[in-house]
Amino acid sequence: MEATQPTAGKAGAGPRTLFDKLWDDHVVVERPSGDALLWIDRHFVHEGSFHAFAQLAGRDGAVAEPGLTFGVADHYVPTRGRAHVANPEIARMIDDLSANTARHGIELFGLHDPRQGIVHVVGPEQGLTLPGLTMVCGDSHTSTHGAFGAYAFGIGASEVAHVLMTQTLWQRKPRRMRITIDGAPAPGVGAKDFILSIIAKIGADGARGHAVEYAGEAVRALSMAGRMTMCNMSIEAGARCGLIAPDETTFRWLEGRPYAPKDAALEAGLAAWRRLPSDRDAEFDCEIRLDAAAIAPIVTWGTSPEEALPIDASIPDPDAQPDQARAAAMRDALTYMGLKPGQRLSEIAIDRVFIGSCTNARIEDLRAAASVLSGRTALVPGLVSPGSSAVKQQAEEEGLDRIFIAAGLDWVESGCSMCVGMNGDAVPAGERCASTTNRNFRGRQGPGARTHLMSPAMAAAAAIAGRLADVRPMLEGRT
Amino acid sequence: MKPLVRVEGIACPLGLSGVDTDQIIPARFMKQPRSKGYGGFLLYDLRHDEAGAERPAFPLNRPPWRQAPILVARRNFGSGSSREAAVYALADHGIRVVLAPTFGDIFASNAVKNGLLPAVLDEDAVEDLLAALQARPDMPVVVDLAQQTVLWNNRAVAFFIDHVAREQLLNGWDDVDVTRSYAAEIGRFRASNTVVRSWSRPDDQPVRT
């Protein structure tokens, strides 16, 4: 057998970006039309993947590489009362995932597995997410895994079926964008504020058709959790994927993870991963720079993640917007949100908080929220759903659960929960929620729900104040 | 998949921008098998009030637009969630073409795989078309994929579609069949990859728990 580097034909073609290298390493064939068939290293399925399994059954298809696909129960799982799933439709969704994965020999982290959690928290946690991989899942927030220097992106059911049957996908190469964040942020400002600032700046379709690499001093200084938050929300700027070059922070994080390579395989992996960062002279199709020191804690005010402003700002006035279509959209958003132009963001009263989701429910996120809530009481009810069952256990070992409960919040099991409302955890119509999630779309957290996106520390601050609030004064004297 | 060459008919001026896939089909409807039909869920929370009654002013609820095979929207149509159910809702409702200045990438890809054309029409042309449809709701519109043009009021405007997507729609090609014709190349890649990137395969690693 010929064991040539898959990149052999490309490696000498001049300086390449991280994305170029990931792409080149996975091209099976290129068509004259310019699209390429890519090898997929890792694939995740969840309850919502039933459409894809139905397509597979419809064509009598077999799963090509069951060892490269993993199942996780997350979208529909209850966060309470798991011993018996009361809703029969939800029980059926969870059972169907078990049956489909069992039928095709796919490993499943199911409802009662200690490794269960949100797919984009579990993958990294288990060492299934690695630098240099192509990774897909029928979920747009698959971009999360780009934090490790993987080419990771969300796909639809037909593509899920295609990957199951062939372990490949047809893709057109996206353009390359680099977003550099220089300097250091103020205390209380972090990854969520970075990414919301970026989306507000470039728009919810500002990175459409691009693979976005985040770089710069402030990005390098982020923990893996912070890097995952940024890459997670790349899709909210319309990006095909988000990427951060792997470095020692990445490699240290991967050490000893159950599925990560060991021994000789690890040495080979490390050698390959160290070659991944963008070459010094590599060219990007688009470059954007931000100064971390100029970024304040951000909250959203409207029904798109681009409708985001620093907490000390006021609701913008549609009448001042010259673009009539844009002004009309802003008026619609403000009507839905029950807000008025000129209103100060810090005066908006909230009804509840949600701390959870693939964006912000890792142990670091829970610690950030707990450090604000410790010794304080929430004025509104709230739900804290850890990113995985393993994160839940670790948080309980650290006593974070007791801080949340003492503050008056509910501490529940792990799942997508109130980010998407599929499992019944929903914000009631007309209520306003300070949420650590990724989408403030109309009805996302339940029909008529009003969502304000923010960081875990800011959601904790909102819980204590009973309104949107700047976390920075609340952090004085605390670490 | 049924080829799409030319669609002629009523066009509904939806007019909204940033219609994310959570709007196109709210999450609570996605537990159903596709065979039951997803058309009734299309834009459900925008089309209906809290009690479930149709909002008469919503474009898709108004004759003659109820049966329109063409939908015209503003920027960033189909952003957000990767749910293919959004395309099922459009297709099952009878929509064959969406015209907008920009689309969410995943939505556009899902659309093509289901024979729905996401045609990119520049912002000015979309504004003109929306205005023309408000003036004359039953104005016939032709979307010609072979010519890559939209025709209305004796006017022909070019639209953009990725040329691979165009070929696929015109011919009704199925991705899986095409891919299977590359089985030998996939087999060679896999064999080489297993050696060169052995670290990438979790099933070749001893799992430490």
Side-chain angles (χ1 to χ4, degrees):
Chain A
M1 186 179 54
E2 207 179 33
T4 52
Q5 277 281 354
T7 52
K10 304 266 185 158
R16 294 182 299 161
T17 67
L18 164 59
F19 183 78
D20 295 325
K21 296 178 192 186
L22 291 168
W23 179 271
D24 293 346
D25 276 352
H26 293 88
V27 173
V28 176
V29 284
E30 260 174 300
R31 284 196 291 214
S33 52
D35 60 340
L37 188 65
L38 299 184
W39 177 258
I40 301 300
D41 290 312
R42 206 74 84 243
H43 182 206
F44 297 109
V45 292
H46 54 79
E47 305 96 301
S49 307
F50 78 95
H51 285 296
F53 282 108
Q55 287 188 27
L56 198 67
R59 343 178 37 123
D60 199 19
V63 174
E65 293 269 0
L68 299 183
T69 295
F70 292 80
V72 184
D74 61 359
H75 278 67
Y76 287 88
V77 297
T79 50
R80 300 173 231 242
R82 284 192 171 177
H84 173 72
V85 180
N87 181 319
E89 273 191 304
I90 286 175
R92 195 198 70 224
M93 295 293 288
I94 296 169
D95 291 345
D96 283 355
L97 176 66
S98 303
N100 281 321
T101 49
R103 180 175 306 128
H104 295 286
I106 293 166
E107 188 163 359
L108 171 67
F109 306 148
L111 181 63
H112 300 291
D113 193 302
R115 300 166 297 179
Q116 180 271 340
I118 307 172
V119 58
H120 310 309
V121 178
V122 169
E125 204 168 70
Q126 293 299 322
L128 288 164
T129 302
L130 300 174
L133 299 185
T134 44
M135 304 182 64
V136 295
C137 173
D139 186 282
S140 60
H141 292 111
T142 306
S143 58
T144 309
H145 308 265
F148 291 79
Y151 175 23
F153 54 102
I155 56 177
S158 295
E159 291 188 317
V160 170
H162 189 278
V163 174
L164 287 170
M165 287 186 266
T166 69
Q167 204 57 36
T168 61
L169 264 187
W170 290 101
Q171 287 286 299
R172 176 173 291 282
K173 193 173 180 183
R175 294 183 294 277
R176 301 148 305 175
M177 178 186 291
R178 179 162 59 190
I179 301 180
T180 305
I181 311 179
D182 300 306
V189 175
K192 187 67 163 283
D193 306 299
F194 293 174
I195 191 67
L196 284 172
S197 298
I198 290 167
I199 299 164
K201 183 183 170 84
I202 69 175
D205 55 358
R208 193 176 40 83
H210 287 79
V212 178
E213 179 176 344
Y214 302 103
E217 196 183 338
V219 174
R220 294 258 70 86
L222 288 173
S223 67
M224 289 314 297
R227 295 179 186 190
M228 284 189 258
T229 299
M230 288 198 72
C231 289
N232 172 276
M233 288 193 70
S234 302
I235 184 69
E236 310 313 332
R240 182 76 58 81
C241 69
L243 293 162
I244 294 174
D247 60 10
E248 295 307 316
T249 301
T250 320
F251 307 146
R252 266 197 310 277
W253 201 93
L254 289 169
E255 269 175 32
R257 301 274 165 189
Y259 290 88
K262 312 282 180 317
D263 308 322
L266 176 60
E267 291 308 313
L270 281 166
W273 302 340
R274 289 187 203 282
R275 289 193 294 267
L276 285 172
S278 294
D279 297 332
R280 203 172 39 166
D281 299 324
E283 283 187 23
F284 290 81
D285 300 289
C286 175
E287 294 252 21
I288 291 169
R289 292 196 96 90
L290 281 84
D291 175 11
I295 296 173
I298 308 285
V299 296
T300 61
W301 55 266
T303 55
S304 163
E306 71 184 15
E307 293 168 334
L309 283 168
I311 182 64
D312 53 9
S314 300
I315 301 283
D317 185 356
D319 291 343
Q321 171 58 245
D323 177 341
Q324 286 312 299
R326 175 68 196 127
M330 284 171 73
R331 283 186 201 99
D332 280 354
L334 291 179
T335 302
Y336 181 83
M337 293 297 289
L339 298 171
K340 292 192 163 50
Q343 203 172 349
R344 295 182 63 86
L345 293 173
S346 59
E347 288 168 2
I348 297 172
I350 59 160
D351 299 299
R352 59 181 64 237
V353 296
F354 176 62
I355 298 172
S357 86
C358 58
T359 310
N360 277 128
R362 297 179 180 82
I363 190 69
E364 293 87 343
D365 298 313
L366 300 186
R367 286 179 193 142
S371 75
V372 178
L373 283 161
S374 177
R376 290 173 169 148
T377 306
L379 286 184
V380 294
L383 197 63
V384 186
S385 176
S388 71
S389 299
V391 167
K392 180 166 187 274
Q393 190 186 336
Q394 188 178 349
E396 288 171 356
E397 283 164 11
E398 295 182 15
L400 305 183
D401 59 324
R402 291 193 291 281
I403 293 172
F404 293 124
I405 293 164
L409 304 181
D410 291 343
W411 175 251
V412 299
E413 301 288 340
S414 175
C416 298
S417 184
M418 204 180 272
C419 175
V420 67
M422 290 175 174
N423 74 335
D425 292 342
V427 175
E431 279 202 12
R432 189 181 302 287
C433 183
S435 183
T436 67
T437 55
N438 41 58
R439 291 191 170 131
N440 51 342
F441 296 161
R442 287 161 191 262
R444 170 79 177 182
Q445 294 191 289
R450 293 162 169 166
T451 303
H452 295 269
L453 304 177
M454 62 198 72
S455 71
M458 284 289 285
I464 293 161
R467 55 179 168 78
L468 304 185
D470 192 335
V471 70
R472 289 173 294 187
M474 296 190 196
L475 286 170
E476 281 167 18
R478 301 185 178 213
T479 47
Chain B
M1 197 172 76
K2 197 168 106 182
L4 184 149
V5 179
R6 182 184 154 97
V7 176
E8 179 167 5
I10 299 287
C12 174
L14 184 64
L16 300 171
S17 63
V19 179
D20 56 75
T21 54
D22 275 85
Q23 306 311 306
I24 299 173
I25 181 167
R28 63 185 185 278
F29 299 121
M30 302 197 309
K31 296 190 280 290
Q32 284 211 26
R34 172 76 188 278
S35 55
K36 290 197 175 178
Y38 271 52
F41 307 140
L42 178 63
L43 295 163
Y44 191 91
D45 288 337
L46 292 171
R47 290 184 75 187
H48 299 87
D49 65 19
E50 293 73 14
E54 277 193 7
R55 296 179 206 267
F58 192 75
L60 215 52
N61 291 337
R62 291 170 57 187
W65 297 328
R66 298 184 74 92
Q67 273 82 42
I70 300 165
L71 200 59
V72 189
R74 292 194 166 98
R75 81 169 173 100
N76 212 15
F77 187 88
S79 58
S81 159
S82 60
R83 59 188 69 171
E84 196 161 302
V87 174
Y88 302 160
L90 287 159
D92 291 357
H93 190 273
I95 308 283
R96 303 215 62 205
V97 181
V98 182
L99 294 161
T102 58
F103 290 92
D105 274 350
I106 307 174
F107 171 84
S109 169
N110 291 341
V112 170
K113 298 195 187 325
N114 288 276
L116 175 79
L117 168 62
V120 175
L121 193 61
D122 80 48
E123 209 137 29
D124 292 342
V126 164
E127 293 303 326
D128 289 350
L129 180 54
L130 288 170
L133 287 166
Q134 291 297 346
R136 201 180 137 205
D138 60 352
M139 177 182 78
V141 175
V142 177
V143 177
D144 189 326
L145 181 56
Q147 300 296 323
Q148 249 180 273
T149 50
V150 187
L151 300 107
W152 76 91
N153 279 353
N154 299 317
R155 192 176 157 190
V157 181
F159 67 83
F160 174 81
I161 174 84
D162 174 85
H163 62 266
V164 176
R166 178 175 170 273
E167 288 294 303
Q168 196 173 0
L169 285 164
L170 282 173
N171 295 293
W173 280 335
D174 179 279
D175 262 352
V176 175
D177 293 340
V178 174
T179 304
R180 283 185 170 152
S181 71
Y182 292 98
E185 287 86 346
I186 296 171
R188 278 198 295 278
F189 186 97
R190 182 191 187 282
S192 161
N193 187 62
T194 303
V195 175
V196 177
R197 298 173 66 252
S198 64
W199 53 267
S200 72
R201 294 193 66 104
D203 48 355
D204 289 353
Q205 307 300 325
V207 174
R208 187 188 298 166
T209 50

